[in-house]
Amino acid sequence: MKQLRNNVIRAGLGALYFSGAHHLLRPLLSGVGAIFMLHHVRPAREAAFQPNRHLEVTPDFLRATLCHLRSRDIDIVSMDELQERLAQGRFARRFAAFTLDDGYRDNLEFALPVLREFDAPLTVYIASDFAEGTGRLWWTALEAAIAKTEQIDVQIGNAALRLDATTPAAKQAAFDRLHDWLRALPGEHDLEREIEALCARHDVDMAALCRSLCLSWDEVERLAADPLVTIGAHSISHCNLAKQSGEIAAQEMTLSRARIEHALGRTVQHFAYPYGDRQAAGEREFALAASAGFKTAVTTRPGMLFAENAGQLTALPRVSLNGNYQDARILPVLTSGAATAMWNGFRRIAAA
């Protein structure tokens, strides 16, 4: 099903490009700017089974994106500057911001050097447990478990399932089934229990995965020392905030900021919701982020920025630079706003 969806999205992007419709729609749909969302930036991997491929782009694709924005005379700004332009209605020039979620080591090793080439600011949202080396990158652990076996035995509800994992296609199907099941579990403790049992059965060390992929506090400090870099908060544990009590959700926001501020000795004013979709961030979370004093908070909901977003600064949409669609030809489509407008049913603001 997910492969079908990817094919449909790819076909839609291609149709917008080859028809030239994005040129006609740009004046209506491109808005005043955009926030680009990334996770990993690193060289392409060769493995046939890469279910988290959508979370990573190559340095070359990031470079192509920056070249495209510069060619269209779009200002690349920090999140502070973006917030000010929205709040003050300064829309004489279109603008874009680059944001990277979770706090991966490749943000320092590969993303920052490319952004430096263009003197382009970036914001990296840190999940503080990841920087501690104790975080649970469960989606990566799930990939690692399936990659090293030919069958997965799991109990889902009352059903004992044996999932085939003998081929890349079978592994992908198993990953999709288990990923959706884990995301749908009622609480974080349920997800933690199930992924830890799966990792134990298949000899996957989640803590080692976290330490190998994520920035340590020392590396976060090195990253933050660059004048182009803003560090934001991304919760403590990367949990689904909408599934937490209001008290716990608020603590995930405020204590993650406090940890980062203690480590770096600087104020943290921007937040990214873990997962960030409609199942993980809604009106309650938007209000909690505002009450916590964050200047902005970003979702993963697709969309361009419009003047009306000034009234929804803790519910900002983003444009995903998705590893499944690393084709420079789609960049004019993405910056036209046509693709995200179609996704949102042509609503300019889709925060509720």
Side-chain angles (χ1 to χ4, degrees):
M1 184 61 69
K2 288 186 179 179
Q3 186 59 46
L4 175 62
R5 184 183 66 181
N6 289 339
N7 290 338
V8 169
I9 293 173
R10 186 177 291 106
L13 291 169
L16 286 168
Y17 173 78
F18 287 111
S19 69
H22 62 289
H23 292 301
L24 299 175
L25 295 171
R26 183 180 297 276
L28 298 173
L29 304 177
S30 62
V32 299
I35 304 170
F36 288 99
M37 175 179 66
L38 304 95
H39 291 78
H40 290 283
V41 178
R42 59 189 180 189
R45 296 181 290 152
E46 298 299 325
F49 173 58
Q50 294 187 52
N52 291 305
R53 187 195 308 267
H54 62 290
L55 296 177
E56 55 189 85
V57 301
T58 66
D60 284 344
F61 186 67
L62 176 56
R63 188 175 288 108
T65 305
L66 289 155
C67 284
H68 170 71
L69 295 174
R70 292 294 194 212
S71 74
R72 299 202 65 86
D73 204 27
I74 294 172
D75 293 343
I76 302 173
V77 302
S78 67
M79 286 301 293
D80 282 331
E81 176 73 9
L82 181 142
Q83 183 269 332
E84 290 175 5
R85 291 195 186 195
L86 283 173
Q88 297 170 10
R90 292 163 44 205
F91 306 137
R93 292 176 58 85
R94 295 190 66 231
F95 50 89
F98 281 80
T99 61
L100 299 98
D101 288 8
D102 299 341
Y104 296 110
R105 184 167 291 112
D106 54 60
N107 296 176
L108 175 63
E109 295 175 342
F110 295 106
L112 180 58
V114 174
L115 287 150
R116 278 176 177 160
E117 293 174 22
F118 295 83
D119 196 30
L122 66 154
T123 297
V124 178
Y125 297 104
I126 302 294
S128 57
D129 274 357
F130 295 173
E132 295 280 349
T134 60
R136 292 179 175 84
L137 300 165
W138 66 264
W139 54 95
T140 304
L142 179 61
E143 175 180 345
I146 295 173
K148 65 194 301 183
T149 190
E150 294 192 344
Q151 72 179 35
I152 296 284
D153 294 308
V154 64
Q155 184 86 20
I156 298 181
N158 294 322
L161 300 182
R162 175 163 290 176
L163 303 178
D164 178 30
T166 55
T167 67
K171 289 179 185 294
Q172 182 67 57
F175 179 91
D176 291 343
R177 176 73 182 276
L178 295 177
H179 182 279
D180 291 348
W181 166 61
L182 290 166
R183 272 292 314 261
L185 288 171
E188 291 298 316
H189 294 300
D190 302 296
L191 190 158
E192 179 181 329
R193 179 188 67 247
E194 297 297 343
I195 194 64
E196 286 186 352
L198 187 66
C199 287
R201 287 197 297 273
H202 296 282
D203 195 27
V204 173
D205 187 335
M206 274 198 293
L209 269 179
C210 180
R211 292 191 299 271
S212 70
L213 292 173
C214 295
L215 294 159
S216 67
W217 283 122
D218 287 345
E219 290 167 321
V220 173
E221 191 170 5
R222 282 174 51 201
L223 182 66
D226 192 290
L228 291 173
V229 175
T230 298
I231 299 296
H234 196 36
S235 81
I236 297 170
S237 62
H238 199 283
C239 64
N240 183 327
L241 295 172
K243 291 184 177 181
Q244 312 305 312
S245 68
E247 180 181 3
I248 295 299
Q251 288 177 355
E252 284 277 343
M253 294 182 185
T254 57
L255 294 183
S256 66
R257 176 175 59 192
R259 282 190 185 182
I260 298 168
E261 290 179 340
H262 176 74
L264 302 182
R266 65 179 65 187
T267 303
V268 173
Q269 298 182 307
H270 304 280
F271 186 79
Y273 303 101
Y275 309 108
D277 55 20
R278 291 181 181 277
Q279 289 71 48
E283 292 185 0
R284 186 196 71 167
E285 289 68 46
F286 303 155
L288 286 173
S291 296
F294 288 107
K295 291 168 65 173
T296 71
V298 294
T299 70
T300 62
R301 299 184 187 188
M304 307 299 283
L305 297 175
F306 295 90
E308 297 94 321
N309 285 109
Q312 300 278 355
L313 289 174
T314 57
L316 295 175
R318 290 189 283 179
V319 176
S320 174
L321 291 183
N322 188 305
N324 288 323
Y325 317 114
Q326 295 187 75
D327 184 342
R329 293 179 301 179
I330 72 167
L331 293 171
V333 176
L334 291 180
T335 56
S336 74
T340 53
M342 292 177 66
W343 183 275
N344 290 322
F346 292 92
R347 290 176 296 167
R348 288 159 70 94
I349 302 293

